[in-house]
Amino acid sequence: PRKERTFIAVKPDGVQRGLIGEIIKRFEARGYKLVAGKLLWASKDHLRNHYKDLADKPFFNGLVDYMSSGPLFAMVWEGKEVVKMGRQMLGATNPLASMPGTIRGDYGIDVGRNICHGSDAVETANREIALWFKPEELSDYEYANKPWIYE
Ligand code: DAT
Ligand code: MG
Protein backbone atom coordinates (compact mmCIF):
# COMPACT_ATOMS: atom_id res chain seq x y z
CA PRO A 1 0.00 0.00 0.00
CA ARG A 2 1.07 3.58 -0.71
CA LYS A 3 2.53 5.42 2.23
CA GLU A 4 0.34 8.04 3.82
CA ARG A 5 0.56 11.59 2.45
CA THR A 6 -0.61 14.96 3.73
CA PHE A 7 -1.02 18.46 2.34
CA ILE A 8 0.95 21.06 4.29
CA ALA A 9 1.06 24.75 3.32
CA VAL A 10 3.03 27.70 4.62
CA LYS A 11 0.36 30.42 4.56
CA PRO A 12 1.06 33.95 3.23
CA ASP A 13 2.04 35.22 6.71
CA GLY A 14 4.51 32.34 7.10
CA VAL A 15 6.01 33.14 3.70
CA GLN A 16 6.31 36.86 4.54
CA ARG A 17 7.91 36.04 7.87
CA GLY A 18 10.56 33.84 6.30
CA LEU A 19 9.36 30.60 7.86
CA ILE A 20 9.25 28.34 4.76
CA GLY A 21 12.65 26.85 5.54
CA GLU A 22 11.88 26.46 9.23
CA ILE A 23 8.72 24.48 8.48
CA ILE A 24 10.37 22.31 5.83
CA LYS A 25 13.24 21.71 8.24
CA ARG A 26 10.96 20.32 10.95
CA PHE A 27 9.29 17.79 8.63
CA GLU A 28 12.63 16.81 7.06
CA ALA A 29 14.34 16.41 10.41
CA ARG A 30 11.54 14.21 11.68
CA GLY A 31 12.14 11.83 8.78
CA TYR A 32 9.18 12.70 6.59
CA LYS A 33 9.74 12.86 2.85
CA LEU A 34 8.87 15.82 0.62
CA VAL A 35 7.08 14.58 -2.50
CA ALA A 36 5.96 17.95 -3.91
CA GLY A 37 6.39 21.65 -3.21
CA LYS A 38 5.65 24.95 -4.95
CA LEU A 39 5.22 28.67 -4.26
CA LEU A 40 1.95 29.97 -5.68
CA TRP A 41 -0.48 32.85 -5.24
CA ALA A 42 -3.81 31.07 -4.87
CA SER A 43 -7.03 32.56 -6.25
CA LYS A 44 -10.03 33.27 -4.02
CA ASP A 45 -12.06 30.67 -5.94
CA HIS A 46 -9.42 28.04 -5.31
CA LEU A 47 -9.31 28.92 -1.61
CA ARG A 48 -13.12 28.92 -1.32
CA ASN A 49 -12.98 25.38 -2.68
CA HIS A 50 -10.13 24.36 -0.38
CA TYR A 51 -12.05 25.66 2.65
CA LYS A 52 -15.56 24.77 1.39
CA ASP A 53 -16.49 22.98 4.63
CA LEU A 54 -16.10 26.34 6.42
CA ALA A 55 -18.26 28.37 4.00
CA ASP A 56 -20.92 29.00 6.66
CA LYS A 57 -18.46 30.34 9.24
CA PRO A 58 -18.44 34.07 10.03
CA PHE A 59 -14.68 34.19 9.45
CA PHE A 60 -14.85 32.55 6.00
CA ASN A 61 -14.46 35.70 3.86
CA GLY A 62 -11.67 37.01 6.06
CA LEU A 63 -9.95 33.64 5.85
CA VAL A 64 -10.11 33.65 2.04
CA ASP A 65 -8.83 37.26 1.92
CA TYR A 66 -5.90 36.40 4.22
CA MET A 67 -5.02 33.23 2.32
CA SER A 68 -5.05 35.13 -0.99
CA SER A 69 -3.12 38.14 0.34
CA GLY A 70 0.20 36.82 -1.00
CA PRO A 71 1.93 33.70 -2.22
CA LEU A 72 1.84 30.56 -0.12
CA PHE A 73 4.10 27.51 -0.19
CA ALA A 74 2.20 24.28 -0.86
CA MET A 75 3.71 20.90 -0.06
CA VAL A 76 2.97 17.20 0.07
CA TRP A 77 4.75 15.17 2.76
CA GLU A 78 4.82 11.39 3.02
CA GLY A 79 5.48 8.92 5.81
CA LYS A 80 4.01 6.85 8.59
CA GLU A 81 1.01 8.60 10.21
CA VAL A 82 2.07 11.89 8.59
CA VAL A 83 -1.48 13.33 8.63
CA LYS A 84 -1.85 13.05 12.39
CA MET A 85 1.79 13.86 13.16
CA GLY A 86 1.65 16.84 10.80
CA ARG A 87 -1.30 18.24 12.76
CA GLN A 88 0.61 17.71 16.01
CA MET A 89 3.66 19.46 14.60
CA LEU A 90 1.50 22.43 13.49
CA GLY A 91 -0.22 22.78 16.88
CA ALA A 92 -3.77 23.86 17.72
CA THR A 93 -5.76 26.02 15.29
CA ASN A 94 -5.43 28.97 17.68
CA PRO A 95 -1.73 29.67 18.28
CA LEU A 96 -2.54 30.86 21.80
CA ALA A 97 -3.74 27.30 22.53
CA SER A 98 -0.69 25.70 20.86
CA MET A 99 2.06 24.13 22.91
CA PRO A 100 5.58 25.57 22.65
CA GLY A 101 7.51 23.25 20.35
CA THR A 102 4.74 23.29 17.76
CA ILE A 103 5.00 25.58 14.74
CA ARG A 104 2.02 27.73 15.73
CA GLY A 105 3.06 27.64 19.40
CA ASP A 106 6.56 28.83 18.54
CA TYR A 107 5.75 31.44 15.88
CA GLY A 108 2.10 32.57 16.11
CA ILE A 109 -0.30 34.59 18.24
CA ASP A 110 -3.60 35.20 16.38
CA VAL A 111 -5.85 32.50 14.87
CA GLY A 112 -6.17 34.55 11.69
CA ARG A 113 -2.36 34.53 11.27
CA ASN A 114 -1.59 30.95 12.18
CA ILE A 115 1.24 30.43 9.66
CA CYS A 116 0.53 26.97 8.33
CA HIS A 117 -2.11 24.53 7.08
CA GLY A 118 -2.22 20.77 7.51
CA SER A 119 -4.85 18.27 6.37
CA ASP A 120 -7.03 17.01 9.23
CA ALA A 121 -7.63 13.41 8.03
CA VAL A 122 -6.37 10.99 5.38
CA GLU A 123 -9.47 11.50 3.19
CA THR A 124 -9.13 15.28 3.49
CA ALA A 125 -5.45 14.99 2.61
CA ASN A 126 -6.23 13.05 -0.56
CA ARG A 127 -8.80 15.66 -1.61
CA GLU A 128 -6.46 18.56 -0.84
CA ILE A 129 -3.46 16.99 -2.61
CA ALA A 130 -5.59 16.50 -5.73
CA LEU A 131 -6.87 20.09 -5.46
CA TRP A 132 -3.41 21.69 -5.19
CA PHE A 133 -1.21 19.38 -7.27
CA LYS A 134 -1.31 17.59 -10.60
CA PRO A 135 -0.37 13.90 -10.36
CA GLU A 136 2.85 14.53 -12.32
CA GLU A 137 3.97 17.10 -9.73
CA LEU A 138 4.24 14.35 -7.09
CA SER A 139 7.57 12.50 -7.06
CA ASP A 140 7.69 8.84 -6.10
CA TYR A 141 11.10 8.05 -4.66
CA GLU A 142 12.74 6.60 -1.58
CA TYR A 143 15.17 8.18 0.83
CA ALA A 144 18.52 6.38 0.68
CA ASN A 145 18.54 6.47 4.50
CA LYS A 146 15.05 5.00 4.87
CA PRO A 147 16.32 2.05 7.04
CA TRP A 148 17.75 4.64 9.45
CA ILE A 149 14.31 6.24 9.86
CA TYR A 150 12.05 3.15 9.83
CA GLU A 151 12.82 -0.15 11.59
P1 DAT B 1 -7.09 24.20 11.03
O1 DAT B 1 -6.36 25.17 10.14
O2 DAT B 1 -6.38 24.03 12.35
O3 DAT B 1 -7.43 22.90 10.36
P2 DAT B 1 -9.90 24.89 10.64
O4 DAT B 1 -9.87 23.95 9.49
O5 DAT B 1 -10.97 24.73 11.65
O6 DAT B 1 -8.48 24.88 11.43
O7 DAT B 1 -9.98 26.40 10.12
C1 DAT B 1 -9.23 26.78 8.99
C2 DAT B 1 -8.61 28.12 9.26
O8 DAT B 1 -9.62 29.08 9.50
C3 DAT B 1 -7.72 28.17 10.50
O9 DAT B 1 -6.41 27.72 10.26
C4 DAT B 1 -7.77 29.62 10.84
C5 DAT B 1 -9.19 30.02 10.46
N1 DAT B 1 -10.06 29.96 11.62
C6 DAT B 1 -10.52 28.84 12.23
N2 DAT B 1 -11.30 29.14 13.27
C7 DAT B 1 -11.35 30.49 13.32
C8 DAT B 1 -11.98 31.43 14.17
N3 DAT B 1 -12.75 31.03 15.19
N4 DAT B 1 -11.79 32.75 13.91
C9 DAT B 1 -11.02 33.14 12.89
N5 DAT B 1 -10.37 32.32 12.04
C10 DAT B 1 -10.54 31.01 12.26
MG1 MG C 1 -8.67 22.49 8.80
Side-chain angles (χ1 to χ4, degrees):
R2 158 145 300 150
K3 277 245 203 67
E4 187 170 304
R5 290 177 171 178
T6 193
F7 175 68
I8 300 289
V10 184
K11 295 180 176 182
D13 53 329
V15 172
Q16 288 296 327
R17 293 180 55 199
L19 295 172
I20 297 173
E22 178 60 37
I23 292 167
I24 290 176
K25 183 175 148 188
R26 289 176 179 225
F27 281 83
E28 270 190 320
R30 183 111 192 223
Y32 288 124
K33 184 175 65 185
L34 186 65
V35 303
K38 61 183 173 188
L39 188 85
L40 79 160
W41 197 324
S43 71
K44 288 185 198 279
D45 275 348
H46 188 81
L47 291 160
R48 283 187 205 105
N49 187 0
H50 171 77
Y51 281 127
K52 67 181 166 69
D53 293 347
L54 301 174
D56 296 339
K57 303 285 185 189
F59 57 82
F60 184 70
N61 288 332
L63 173 63
V64 170
D65 285 348
Y66 152 59
M67 289 294 290
S68 62
S69 63
L72 55 77
F73 195 76
M75 297 174 276
V76 177
W77 287 89
E78 182 183 290
K80 192 188 283 183
E81 299 212 32
V82 69
V83 173
K84 186 171 143 200
M85 292 303 116
R87 293 282 292 188
Q88 286 190 4
M89 290 163 71
L90 263 50
T93 301
N94 188 337
L96 291 182
S98 299
M99 293 293 286
T102 64
I103 293 163
R104 288 162 173 170
D106 285 348
Y107 300 111
I109 297 173
D110 272 353
V111 69
R113 299 287 186 273
N114 66 358
I115 303 160
C116 47
H117 168 83
S119 308
D120 62 10
V122 173
E123 307 74 54
T124 320
N126 292 336
R127 179 183 103 82
E128 291 176 353
I129 291 166
L131 184 64
W132 289 88
F133 289 95
K134 300 173 193 141
E136 62 268 27
E137 290 178 307
L138 308 174
S139 294
D140 273 309
Y141 67 104
E142 297 295 348
Y143 269 155
N145 64 354
K146 188 179 172 191
W148 298 103
I149 297 169
Y150 294 102
E151 62 182 5

PDB file of all heavy atoms in Angstrom, residues 1 12 22 27 31 34 48 54 67 73 89 97-98 103 108 114 118 128-129 131 141 144 147 149:
ATOM      1  N   PRO A   1       0.823  -1.206   0.000  1.00  0.00           N
ATOM      2  CA  PRO A   1       0.000   0.000   0.000  1.00  0.00           C
ATOM      3  C   PRO A   1       0.859   1.258   0.000  1.00  0.00           C
ATOM      4  O   PRO A   1       1.907   1.271   0.630  1.00  0.00           O
ATOM      5  CB  PRO A   1      -0.817  -0.103   1.294  1.00  0.00           C
ATOM      6  CG  PRO A   1      -0.024  -1.022   2.167  1.00  0.00           C
ATOM      7  CD  PRO A   1       0.764  -1.909   1.272  1.00  0.00           C
ATOM      8  N   PRO A  12       0.385  32.702   3.642  1.00  0.00           N
ATOM      9  CA  PRO A  12       1.055  33.950   3.233  1.00  0.00           C
ATOM     10  C   PRO A  12       1.811  34.656   4.367  1.00  0.00           C
ATOM     11  O   PRO A  12       2.880  35.231   4.118  1.00  0.00           O
ATOM     12  CB  PRO A  12      -0.106  34.805   2.711  1.00  0.00           C
ATOM     13  CG  PRO A  12      -1.064  33.795   2.160  1.00  0.00           C
ATOM     14  CD  PRO A  12      -1.006  32.638   3.126  1.00  0.00           C
ATOM     15  N   GLU A  22      12.063  26.979   7.873  1.00  0.00           N
ATOM     16  CA  GLU A  22      11.878  26.458   9.235  1.00  0.00           C
ATOM     17  C   GLU A  22      10.858  25.315   9.247  1.00  0.00           C
ATOM     18  O   GLU A  22      11.055  24.294   9.925  1.00  0.00           O
ATOM     19  CB  GLU A  22      11.404  27.601  10.142  1.00  0.00           C
ATOM     20  CG  GLU A  22      11.122  27.199  11.563  1.00  0.00           C
ATOM     21  CD  GLU A  22      12.326  26.624  12.300  1.00  0.00           C
ATOM     22  OE1 GLU A  22      13.451  27.113  12.074  1.00  0.00           O
ATOM     23  OE2 GLU A  22      12.131  25.686  13.094  1.00  0.00           O
ATOM     24  N   PHE A  27       9.801  19.029   9.221  1.00  0.00           N
ATOM     25  CA  PHE A  27       9.289  17.789   8.631  1.00  0.00           C
ATOM     26  C   PHE A  27      10.447  16.927   8.123  1.00  0.00           C
ATOM     27  O   PHE A  27      10.426  15.701   8.282  1.00  0.00           O
ATOM     28  CB  PHE A  27       8.292  18.107   7.512  1.00  0.00           C
ATOM     29  CG  PHE A  27       6.926  18.473   8.037  1.00  0.00           C
ATOM     30  CD1 PHE A  27       6.642  19.771   8.462  1.00  0.00           C
ATOM     31  CD2 PHE A  27       5.917  17.518   8.145  1.00  0.00           C
ATOM     32  CE1 PHE A  27       5.385  20.100   8.971  1.00  0.00           C
ATOM     33  CE2 PHE A  27       4.657  17.838   8.646  1.00  0.00           C
ATOM     34  CZ  PHE A  27       4.390  19.132   9.063  1.00  0.00           C
ATOM     35  N   GLY A  31      12.003  13.028   9.614  1.00  0.00           N
ATOM     36  CA  GLY A  31      12.140  11.833   8.780  1.00  0.00           C
ATOM     37  C   GLY A  31      11.084  11.732   7.701  1.00  0.00           C
ATOM     38  O   GLY A  31      11.070  10.779   6.927  1.00  0.00           O
ATOM     39  N   LEU A  34       9.549  14.840   1.465  1.00  0.00           N
ATOM     40  CA  LEU A  34       8.866  15.823   0.621  1.00  0.00           C
ATOM     41  C   LEU A  34       8.623  15.201  -0.748  1.00  0.00           C
ATOM     42  O   LEU A  34       9.573  14.778  -1.415  1.00  0.00           O
ATOM     43  CB  LEU A  34       9.748  17.071   0.494  1.00  0.00           C
ATOM     44  CG  LEU A  34       9.156  18.266  -0.242  1.00  0.00           C
ATOM     45  CD1 LEU A  34       7.951  18.849   0.494  1.00  0.00           C
ATOM     46  CD2 LEU A  34      10.228  19.341  -0.420  1.00  0.00           C
ATOM     47  N   ARG A  48     -11.734  29.216  -1.731  1.00  0.00           N
ATOM     48  CA  ARG A  48     -13.116  28.925  -1.318  1.00  0.00           C
ATOM     49  C   ARG A  48     -13.396  27.434  -1.462  1.00  0.00           C
ATOM     50  O   ARG A  48     -14.080  26.830  -0.631  1.00  0.00           O
ATOM     51  CB  ARG A  48     -14.120  29.725  -2.160  1.00  0.00           C
ATOM     52  CG  ARG A  48     -14.229  31.182  -1.748  1.00  0.00           C
ATOM     53  CD  ARG A  48     -15.372  31.885  -2.497  1.00  0.00           C
ATOM     54  NE  ARG A  48     -15.100  33.311  -2.551  1.00  0.00           N
ATOM     55  CZ  ARG A  48     -14.692  33.981  -3.616  1.00  0.00           C
ATOM     56  NH1 ARG A  48     -14.563  33.361  -4.787  1.00  0.00           N
ATOM     57  NH2 ARG A  48     -14.422  35.273  -3.548  1.00  0.00           N
ATOM     58  N   LEU A  54     -15.985  25.223   5.479  1.00  0.00           N
ATOM     59  CA  LEU A  54     -16.096  26.342   6.423  1.00  0.00           C
ATOM     60  C   LEU A  54     -16.904  27.502   5.849  1.00  0.00           C
ATOM     61  O   LEU A  54     -16.959  28.586   6.444  1.00  0.00           O
ATOM     62  CB  LEU A  54     -14.690  26.838   6.805  1.00  0.00           C
ATOM     63  CG  LEU A  54     -13.767  25.802   7.462  1.00  0.00           C
ATOM     64  CD1 LEU A  54     -12.374  26.374   7.665  1.00  0.00           C
ATOM     65  CD2 LEU A  54     -14.345  25.340   8.797  1.00  0.00           C
ATOM     66  N   MET A  67      -5.739  34.289   3.040  1.00  0.00           N
ATOM     67  CA  MET A  67      -5.025  33.233   2.322  1.00  0.00           C
ATOM     68  C   MET A  67      -4.657  33.635   0.898  1.00  0.00           C
ATOM     69  O   MET A  67      -3.769  33.021   0.291  1.00  0.00           O
ATOM     70  CB  MET A  67      -5.867  31.954   2.311  1.00  0.00           C
ATOM     71  CG  MET A  67      -5.969  31.264   3.669  1.00  0.00           C
ATOM     72  SD  MET A  67      -4.394  30.601   4.265  1.00  0.00           S
ATOM     73  CE  MET A  67      -4.158  29.233   3.124  1.00  0.00           C
ATOM     74  N   PHE A  73       3.237  28.616   0.240  1.00  0.00           N
ATOM     75  CA  PHE A  73       4.100  27.513  -0.185  1.00  0.00           C
ATOM     76  C   PHE A  73       3.388  26.203   0.112  1.00  0.00           C
ATOM     77  O   PHE A  73       3.178  25.846   1.270  1.00  0.00           O
ATOM     78  CB  PHE A  73       5.466  27.568   0.509  1.00  0.00           C
ATOM     79  CG  PHE A  73       6.481  26.682  -0.152  1.00  0.00           C
ATOM     80  CD1 PHE A  73       7.076  27.057  -1.349  1.00  0.00           C
ATOM     81  CD2 PHE A  73       6.826  25.458   0.406  1.00  0.00           C
ATOM     82  CE1 PHE A  73       8.007  26.238  -1.984  1.00  0.00           C
ATOM     83  CE2 PHE A  73       7.759  24.629  -0.225  1.00  0.00           C
ATOM     84  CZ  PHE A  73       8.344  25.021  -1.416  1.00  0.00           C
ATOM     85  N   MET A  89       2.516  18.577  14.793  1.00  0.00           N
ATOM     86  CA  MET A  89       3.663  19.463  14.602  1.00  0.00           C
ATOM     87  C   MET A  89       3.215  20.904  14.358  1.00  0.00           C
ATOM     88  O   MET A  89       3.898  21.844  14.760  1.00  0.00           O
ATOM     89  CB  MET A  89       4.526  18.951  13.445  1.00  0.00           C
ATOM     90  CG  MET A  89       5.250  17.653  13.789  1.00  0.00           C
ATOM     91  SD  MET A  89       5.851  16.775  12.351  1.00  0.00           S
ATOM     92  CE  MET A  89       7.196  17.846  11.853  1.00  0.00           C
ATOM     93  N   ALA A  97      -3.453  28.592  21.900  1.00  0.00           N
ATOM     94  CA  ALA A  97      -3.738  27.299  22.530  1.00  0.00           C
ATOM     95  C   ALA A  97      -2.703  26.243  22.132  1.00  0.00           C
ATOM     96  O   ALA A  97      -2.828  25.079  22.494  1.00  0.00           O
ATOM     97  CB  ALA A  97      -5.135  26.833  22.147  1.00  0.00           C
ATOM     98  N   SER A  98      -1.697  26.642  21.353  1.00  0.00           N
ATOM     99  CA  SER A  98      -0.694  25.698  20.855  1.00  0.00           C
ATOM    100  C   SER A  98       0.468  25.576  21.828  1.00  0.00           C
ATOM    101  O   SER A  98       0.957  26.573  22.350  1.00  0.00           O
ATOM    102  CB  SER A  98      -0.150  26.163  19.499  1.00  0.00           C
ATOM    103  OG  SER A  98      -1.187  26.232  18.549  1.00  0.00           O
ATOM    104  N   ILE A 103       4.731  24.444  15.620  1.00  0.00           N
ATOM    105  CA  ILE A 103       5.005  25.585  14.735  1.00  0.00           C
ATOM    106  C   ILE A 103       4.174  26.798  15.158  1.00  0.00           C
ATOM    107  O   ILE A 103       4.699  27.897  15.340  1.00  0.00           O
ATOM    108  CB  ILE A 103       4.737  25.188  13.269  1.00  0.00           C
ATOM    109  CG1 ILE A 103       5.759  24.132  12.822  1.00  0.00           C
ATOM    110  CG2 ILE A 103       4.791  26.415  12.360  1.00  0.00           C
ATOM    111  CD1 ILE A 103       5.360  23.363  11.568  1.00  0.00           C
ATOM    112  N   GLY A 108       3.361  31.857  16.368  1.00  0.00           N
ATOM    113  CA  GLY A 108       2.105  32.573  16.114  1.00  0.00           C
ATOM    114  C   GLY A 108       1.432  33.108  17.355  1.00  0.00           C
ATOM    115  O   GLY A 108       1.743  32.702  18.482  1.00  0.00           O
ATOM    116  N   ASN A 114      -2.144  32.129  11.517  1.00  0.00           N
ATOM    117  CA  ASN A 114      -1.587  30.947  12.177  1.00  0.00           C
ATOM    118  C   ASN A 114      -0.576  30.163  11.341  1.00  0.00           C
ATOM    119  O   ASN A 114      -0.312  28.988  11.588  1.00  0.00           O
ATOM    120  CB  ASN A 114      -2.699  30.063  12.761  1.00  0.00           C
ATOM    121  CG  ASN A 114      -3.584  29.453  11.686  1.00  0.00           C
ATOM    122  OD1 ASN A 114      -3.401  29.706  10.500  1.00  0.00           O
ATOM    123  ND2 ASN A 114      -4.542  28.647  12.114  1.00  0.00           N
ATOM    124  N   GLY A 118      -2.464  22.207   7.637  1.00  0.00           N
ATOM    125  CA  GLY A 118      -2.221  20.773   7.512  1.00  0.00           C
ATOM    126  C   GLY A 118      -3.544  20.035   7.418  1.00  0.00           C
ATOM    127  O   GLY A 118      -4.494  20.354   8.143  1.00  0.00           O
ATOM    128  N   GLU A 128      -7.250  17.336  -0.754  1.00  0.00           N
ATOM    129  CA  GLU A 128      -6.463  18.565  -0.844  1.00  0.00           C
ATOM    130  C   GLU A 128      -5.247  18.394  -1.770  1.00  0.00           C
ATOM    131  O   GLU A 128      -4.913  19.307  -2.534  1.00  0.00           O
ATOM    132  CB  GLU A 128      -6.032  18.994   0.559  1.00  0.00           C
ATOM    133  CG  GLU A 128      -7.227  19.470   1.391  1.00  0.00           C
ATOM    134  CD  GLU A 128      -6.901  19.826   2.834  1.00  0.00           C
ATOM    135  OE1 GLU A 128      -5.752  19.593   3.278  1.00  0.00           O
ATOM    136  OE2 GLU A 128      -7.799  20.337   3.528  1.00  0.00           O
ATOM    137  N   ILE A 129      -4.609  17.237  -1.719  1.00  0.00           N
ATOM    138  CA  ILE A 129      -3.461  16.993  -2.610  1.00  0.00           C
ATOM    139  C   ILE A 129      -3.919  17.084  -4.068  1.00  0.00           C
ATOM    140  O   ILE A 129      -3.271  17.724  -4.898  1.00  0.00           O
ATOM    141  CB  ILE A 129      -2.809  15.631  -2.292  1.00  0.00           C
ATOM    142  CG1 ILE A 129      -2.112  15.689  -0.924  1.00  0.00           C
ATOM    143  CG2 ILE A 129      -1.819  15.230  -3.391  1.00  0.00           C
ATOM    144  CD1 ILE A 129      -1.728  14.329  -0.348  1.00  0.00           C
ATOM    145  N   LEU A 131      -6.433  18.715  -5.169  1.00  0.00           N
ATOM    146  CA  LEU A 131      -6.868  20.093  -5.459  1.00  0.00           C
ATOM    147  C   LEU A 131      -5.671  21.004  -5.757  1.00  0.00           C
ATOM    148  O   LEU A 131      -5.761  21.906  -6.592  1.00  0.00           O
ATOM    149  CB  LEU A 131      -7.644  20.619  -4.252  1.00  0.00           C
ATOM    150  CG  LEU A 131      -8.274  22.006  -4.348  1.00  0.00           C
ATOM    151  CD1 LEU A 131      -9.355  22.030  -5.424  1.00  0.00           C
ATOM    152  CD2 LEU A 131      -8.870  22.393  -3.000  1.00  0.00           C
ATOM    153  N   TYR A 141       9.692   8.453  -4.824  1.00  0.00           N
ATOM    154  CA  TYR A 141      11.099   8.054  -4.661  1.00  0.00           C
ATOM    155  C   TYR A 141      11.285   7.604  -3.224  1.00  0.00           C
ATOM    156  O   TYR A 141      10.402   7.798  -2.389  1.00  0.00           O
ATOM    157  CB  TYR A 141      12.052   9.218  -5.005  1.00  0.00           C
ATOM    158  CG  TYR A 141      11.986  10.388  -4.044  1.00  0.00           C
ATOM    159  CD1 TYR A 141      13.003  10.592  -3.089  1.00  0.00           C
ATOM    160  CD2 TYR A 141      10.922  11.290  -4.058  1.00  0.00           C
ATOM    161  CE1 TYR A 141      12.950  11.660  -2.201  1.00  0.00           C
ATOM    162  CE2 TYR A 141      10.864  12.360  -3.168  1.00  0.00           C
ATOM    163  CZ  TYR A 141      11.877  12.541  -2.250  1.00  0.00           C
ATOM    164  OH  TYR A 141      11.824  13.586  -1.359  1.00  0.00           O
ATOM    165  N   ALA A 144      17.458   7.388   0.569  1.00  0.00           N
ATOM    166  CA  ALA A 144      18.520   6.383   0.678  1.00  0.00           C
ATOM    167  C   ALA A 144      18.698   5.936   2.136  1.00  0.00           C
ATOM    168  O   ALA A 144      19.121   4.816   2.398  1.00  0.00           O
ATOM    169  CB  ALA A 144      19.830   6.948   0.140  1.00  0.00           C
ATOM    170  N   PRO A 147      16.171   3.015   5.919  1.00  0.00           N
ATOM    171  CA  PRO A 147      16.317   2.055   7.036  1.00  0.00           C
ATOM    172  C   PRO A 147      16.815   2.694   8.327  1.00  0.00           C
ATOM    173  O   PRO A 147      16.744   2.067   9.389  1.00  0.00           O
ATOM    174  CB  PRO A 147      17.350   1.047   6.511  1.00  0.00           C
ATOM    175  CG  PRO A 147      17.463   1.277   5.050  1.00  0.00           C
ATOM    176  CD  PRO A 147      17.072   2.694   4.794  1.00  0.00           C
ATOM    177  N   ILE A 149      15.490   5.512   9.363  1.00  0.00           N
ATOM    178  CA  ILE A 149      14.315   6.236   9.862  1.00  0.00           C
ATOM    179  C   ILE A 149      13.240   5.239  10.313  1.00  0.00           C
ATOM    180  O   ILE A 149      12.610   5.434  11.350  1.00  0.00           O
ATOM    181  CB  ILE A 149      13.756   7.164   8.757  1.00  0.00           C
ATOM    182  CG1 ILE A 149      14.797   8.227   8.380  1.00  0.00           C
ATOM    183  CG2 ILE A 149      12.444   7.812   9.213  1.00  0.00           C
ATOM    184  CD1 ILE A 149      14.461   9.019   7.121  1.00  0.00           C
TER     185      ILE A 149
END
